[in-house]
Amino acid sequence: IQELNQDFALTLPDTLTADALRAQLATHINELILQRFDHLVQLLYRMDVSEKKLKQLLQDHPGTDAGHLIAGLVLEREQQKISSRRKFSQTRPTDPDAEAW
């Protein structure tokens, strides 16, 4: 939630449920689609949301709210980044004399 608040300039509370988070993020994304589409594209690029996956998802679900679909991809990508950080922070050597790159 903290990363989303920073990336999307939001003030979402840390206590949101997953469904409420997705709904509020979808609402904000829909506003960006209508008012600042270029900014949304930049955000998605910076967050490394897969353009190919996004296009395929939108194509496969033409009647579904785009904001909701994009919010799902954003949350999925954030989870991937969190998992990756945890994985790599656990594999650091504990030996203080070990070389750190």
Side-chain angles (χ1 to χ4, degrees), residues 64-76:
T64 305
D65 176 38
H68 192 73
L69 295 174
I70 295 169
L73 287 178
V74 166
L75 293 173
E76 178 183 304

Side-chain angles (χ1 to χ4, degrees), residues 17-30:
T17 65
D19 290 337
L21 173 61
R22 187 175 182 151
Q24 288 193 24
L25 184 58
T27 299
H28 184 69
I29 289 172
N30 279 326

